[in-house]
Amino acid sequence: MAVVFAWIAVGAIVVTSVGLLLTRDWRWSISLLAVQYLAMFVLVLQHWPLGMASVKVVAGWMSAAILGMTRSGLSTEEFTEEDTWPRGRPFRLFAAGIVSLIVVVATPGVDTIMADAGFAVTSGSLFLIGMGLLQLGMTAHILRVTIGLMIILSGFEILYSAVEGSALVAALLAVINLGLALVGSYLLIASNSQEIEST
């Protein structure tokens, strides 16, 4: 039964990651990020007890809330990108397909290296890392860059949970997550104040 839930979580990770890559609305981005942290919780739960795994989802939701509250208080409009090749949605879907293909090919080898963490855990974490890197490579917008870094960190945390069960490491990774959200919020506020002063 746990394996079924793990594969459902991988499906949720795929849907939310592609949604984060395609959506332009910050409200949808924050909502998809929150759902992604819930799926991450299910995958981490495969190797960690409930108390330690719940730290991940709580820290992730707090980070998403920090970013959402900061962005809702800003007056500037979201940076818009053209819907043309190579920046439009068809190109993003094509790039997500390439990442999926790489994950499918790499999962068996990485799973063997990571002491048989499980195909669901390995593929979910690799997909998050790949989509986070893709997100970072396709945008310079502060909110999207912050979300991309958080996605990469989530993928690493899932993979790391299979080999390390330390409560201290879980707490440090949660602090890093919150720190990323706070830095992203600060940069959003700073860039917004610069735009207001320049107008």
Side-chain angles (χ1 to χ4, degrees):
M1 195 64 177
V3 177
V4 174
F5 280 121
W7 282 110
I8 291 171
V10 171
I13 283 172
V14 170
V15 170
T16 55
S17 296
V18 173
L20 280 166
L21 196 64
L22 297 179
T23 186
R24 301 292 98 206
D25 185 11
W26 66 268
R27 293 171 193 86
W28 277 105
S29 295
I30 299 298
S31 301
L32 289 170
L33 187 65
V35 173
Q36 196 170 78
Y37 274 109
L38 188 61
M40 175 198 171
F41 163 73
V42 173
L43 291 181
V44 171
L45 200 56
Q46 303 298 310
H47 297 282
W48 282 2
L50 180 63
M52 281 176 59
S54 61
V55 169
K56 299 296 180 193
V57 74
V58 170
W61 283 351
M62 286 173 65
S63 302
I66 289 168
L67 290 173
M69 287 188 298
T70 303
R71 181 60 187 90
S72 67
L74 302 182
S75 57
T76 56
E77 290 296 317
E78 182 84 12
F79 176 71
T80 56
E81 297 180 17
E82 301 105 20
D83 233 7
T84 58
W85 191 273
R87 297 178 72 183
R89 288 195 170 123
F91 176 71
R92 292 171 189 271
L93 280 172
F94 175 74
I98 296 290
V99 169
S100 302
L101 188 62
I102 291 170
V103 167
V104 168
V105 171
T107 294
V110 174
D111 186 55
T112 304
I113 293 169
M114 298 304 292
D116 293 325
F119 271 38
V121 172
T122 307
S123 61
S125 64
L126 290 178
F127 193 79
L128 279 175
I129 292 169
M131 292 301 285
L133 289 171
L134 190 61
Q135 180 97 313
L136 284 177
M138 288 191 166
T139 186
H141 192 265
I142 294 169
L143 179 63
R144 300 200 170 282
V145 168
T146 306
I147 289 174
L149 289 170
M150 291 168 72
I151 292 171
I152 292 172
L153 185 62
S154 297
F156 170 74
E157 288 179 43
I158 293 171
L159 206 55
Y160 195 68
S161 70
V163 294
E164 179 62 52
S166 168
L168 179 61
V169 171
L172 286 174
L173 289 171
V175 168
I176 291 171
N177 235 326
L178 291 169
L180 267 175
L182 289 171
V183 170
S185 296
Y186 171 76
L187 292 174
L188 277 171
I189 293 169
S191 67
N192 185 59
S193 62
Q194 286 178 355
E195 289 174 14
I196 290 173
E197 286 173 7
S198 63
T199 56

